[in-house]
Amino acid sequence: MSKIIVVTSGKGGVGKTTTSASIATGLAQRGFKTCVIDFDVGLRNLDLIMGCERRVVYDLVNLVNQEASLQQTLIKDKRVDNLYILPASQTRDKDALTIEGVARVIHKLKQNEFDYIICDSPAGIEKGAKMALYFADEAIITTNPEVSSVRDSDRILGILQSESRRAKMDEEPVKEHLLITRYNPNRVQEGQMLSVDDIVDLLAIPLLGIIPESQAVLEASNAGKPVILDDESNAGQAYNDAIARLLGEERPHRFMEAQKKGFLKRLFG
Amino acid sequence: MGLLSLFRSKSSSASLAKERLQLVIAHERTNRGSPSYLPMMKQDIVSVIRKYVEIDEDEVQVSMESDENCELLELNITLPQFGAGGTEDNGDIKG
Ligand SMILES: Nc1ncnc2c1ncn2[C@@H]1O[C@H](COP(=O)(O)OP(=O)(O)OP(=O)(O)O)[C@@H](O)[C@H]1O
Ligand SMILES: [Mg+2]
């Protein structure tokens, strides 16, 4: 049975695409047949982060409109076995997607025995975001330690609880996971930024992981290589921990402590 | 902690952020469950009242709250003053 996981946030630019790429890659590395779908129709970006932008021929909208087959549309990752990318259309808008159309795509993926389907949601709470979360079994709520991101995450939780397929069918609710990204422990320690505890208190959902603010993320996207493949980096390791927890393992949270500063910095804060 | 941060007040900007978020999220969560017919019902209530008195739409507030075993519809209607110099009639109808 395929498990469908949406990576969502409400707010834009918090790290959904970065997260979708790394979570999908990490699951495939562990042997699960995984497909990551870019739902950001009109603003395709997952292909760049996954490094397959030059191999896109057909896209999600072609597939929804039955203009191409699943085999023609899926891009097989060159680095990791079991990993497939389903790119968004760049020329259409989000109205090109319908629940029935997306349902057909999901059904085909299930027939092809995918273990995990990761849905990279667009920002906002409009049609595109609702389409991305509709079929979800689980949701990774991507949140930055910042007021508007936390509020928008709460908004999107409300939508998951009322407008997802599981909510509408009165099934067991979508399982929610909090992923705090771009976390900067130094600024938390100085009281300039909401802490992990603050955010967990406010949103009251289980914590999947904390991804530190890291230069490695920018370098990874420059290279078109999901940051999880950079296992030297803090961010890569944090994504790895998050996947282990997603699969039920218990791991202590890391990267929450402020780095020791040099003498001059310590003196002048 | 650096020297400069010794002078920073302990009630940080992050704790202010948290307090503000607590209020706004609590408020938004109470409105979340309210049914989609609520705005239309409000329209109808306003037109019924208008048969008898002239009121503005924003003088009617409708909200829905629910606790464990019941849903509470709260109507708050401000009626205009009777005649000149009369006392303000503030009808609070709850049910
Ligand atoms: N942990 C991190 N450390 C540093 N930079 C990060 C981190 N996570 C994401 N970023 C950067 O933040 C920016 C936005 O990331 P990303 O595109 O993943 O967000 P998004 O939520 O998908 O955005 P959109 O809402 O536009 O789809 C990118 O420049 C990315 O490199
Ligand atoms: Mg994105």
Side-chain angles (χ1 to χ4, degrees):
Chain A
M1 213 25 210
S2 323
K3 203 170 254 178
I4 304 171
I5 304 179
V6 62
V7 178
T8 185
S9 67
K11 189 170 161 57
V14 296
K16 293 180 291 297
T17 301
T18 304
T19 298
S20 301
S22 279
I23 297 281
T25 304
L27 286 168
Q29 277 182 318
R30 286 163 194 248
F32 295 105
K33 188 173 176 186
T34 304
C35 176
V36 55
I37 309 180
D38 189 348
F39 272 87
D40 208 342
V41 175
L43 290 171
R44 171 161 86 209
N45 271 325
L46 182 69
D47 56 338
L48 274 179
I49 302 303
M50 297 295 299
C52 65
E53 70 279 4
R54 292 170 54 187
R55 298 168 61 210
V56 178
V57 182
Y58 295 107
D59 57 53
L60 180 60
V61 174
N62 294 133
L63 194 55
V64 163
N65 293 343
Q66 296 172 294
E67 296 155 1
S69 71
L70 186 66
Q71 276 65 30
Q72 287 173 308
T73 313
L74 284 183
I75 301 173
K76 190 176 184 326
D77 192 85
K78 287 202 164 149
R79 287 169 297 234
V80 182
D81 278 346
N82 303 311
L83 180 57
Y84 296 82
I85 299 109
L86 183 42
S89 173
Q90 196 55 321
T91 52
R92 306 292 293 271
D93 64 29
K94 289 167 178 80
D95 290 332
L97 298 181
T98 59
I99 291 284
E100 298 72 35
V102 175
R104 266 201 310 275
V105 172
I106 301 263
H107 181 70
K108 278 196 198 126
L109 290 169
K110 286 187 170 174
Q111 281 179 332
N112 280 271
E113 293 178 336
F114 277 91
D115 297 304
Y116 284 96
I117 302 168
I118 310 297
C119 305
D120 179 17
S121 174
I125 53 169
E126 307 304 319
K127 192 173 173 194
K130 287 182 180 171
M131 209 63 82
L133 67 76
Y134 187 78
F135 294 97
D137 301 306
E138 303 193 15
I140 297 177
I141 312 296
T142 312
T143 307
N144 290 168
E146 180 263 321
V147 283
S148 48
S149 176
V150 173
R151 182 201 211 169
D152 290 359
S153 290
D154 197 64
R155 250 343 259 295
I156 212 81
L157 283 169
I159 292 174
L160 275 165
Q161 290 157 11
S162 60
E163 295 186 44
S164 62
R165 190 194 62 88
R166 282 177 172 270
K168 296 215 156 144
M169 302 290 157
D170 249 325
E171 288 180 17
E172 199 182 311
V174 177
K175 190 169 174 193
E176 301 155 345
H177 307 275
L178 174 61
L179 187 73
I180 301 176
T181 57
R182 310 201 67 164
Y183 195 67
N184 185 333
N186 290 308
R187 299 190 60 188
V188 172
Q189 195 186 51
E190 283 161 14
Q192 297 167 353
M193 216 178 223
L194 291 164
S195 69
V196 170
D197 289 345
D198 290 340
I199 301 169
V200 171
D201 252 17
L202 287 160
L203 294 177
I205 60 173
L207 181 62
L208 180 67
I210 303 145
I211 314 298
E213 173 79 21
S214 157
Q215 175 69 25
V217 172
L218 185 64
E219 282 162 19
S221 41
N222 286 344
K225 183 178 155 193
V227 71
I228 196 168
L229 294 176
D230 178 1
D231 39 28
E232 304 272 281
S233 69
N234 284 354
Q237 291 174 23
Y239 274 118
N240 238 311
D241 286 357
I243 288 166
R245 292 188 200 102
L246 197 62
L247 297 171
E249 217 177 289
E250 287 211 12
R251 289 204 182 175
H253 290 285
R254 298 192 275 166
F255 313 114
M256 291 165 73
E257 307 306 324
Q259 300 287 306
K260 291 259 183 303
K261 288 177 177 176
F263 172 74
L264 277 179
K265 271 200 160 173
R266 218 178 314 155
L267 197 59
F268 295 107
Chain B
M1 281 277 141
L3 262 184
L4 294 181
S5 39
L6 284 180
F7 298 101
R8 262 183 225 130
S9 73
K10 198 63 204 156
S11 67
S12 59
S13 72
S15 55
L16 178 62
K18 186 178 182 186
E19 276 169 39
R20 293 174 54 223
L21 277 168
Q22 273 168 330
L23 289 175
V24 73
I25 286 177
H27 177 75
E28 286 170 353
R29 280 182 191 164
T30 56
N31 288 345
R32 197 180 273 171
S34 71
S36 55
Y37 60 73
L38 216 58
M40 270 151 62
M41 188 167 80
K42 180 181 166 182
Q43 283 291 324
D44 287 350
I45 292 170
V46 170
S47 53
V48 169
I49 295 172
R50 278 202 184 134
K51 282 188 181 170
Y52 304 94
V53 278
E54 233 351 275
I55 54 161
D56 263 357
E57 204 166 305
D58 53 3
E59 281 164 331
V60 178
Q61 271 136 37
V62 185
S63 65
M64 195 99 151
E65 266 173 51
S66 54
D67 58 26
E68 281 144 45
N69 40 33
C70 73
E71 304 258 351
L72 186 74
L73 178 70
E74 192 172 309
L75 279 181
N76 204 313
I77 306 167
T78 312
L79 296 176
Q81 293 185 330
F82 275 122
T87 53
E88 186 168 308
D89 195 347
N90 196 335
D92 256 4
I93 309 170
K94 286 188 185 182

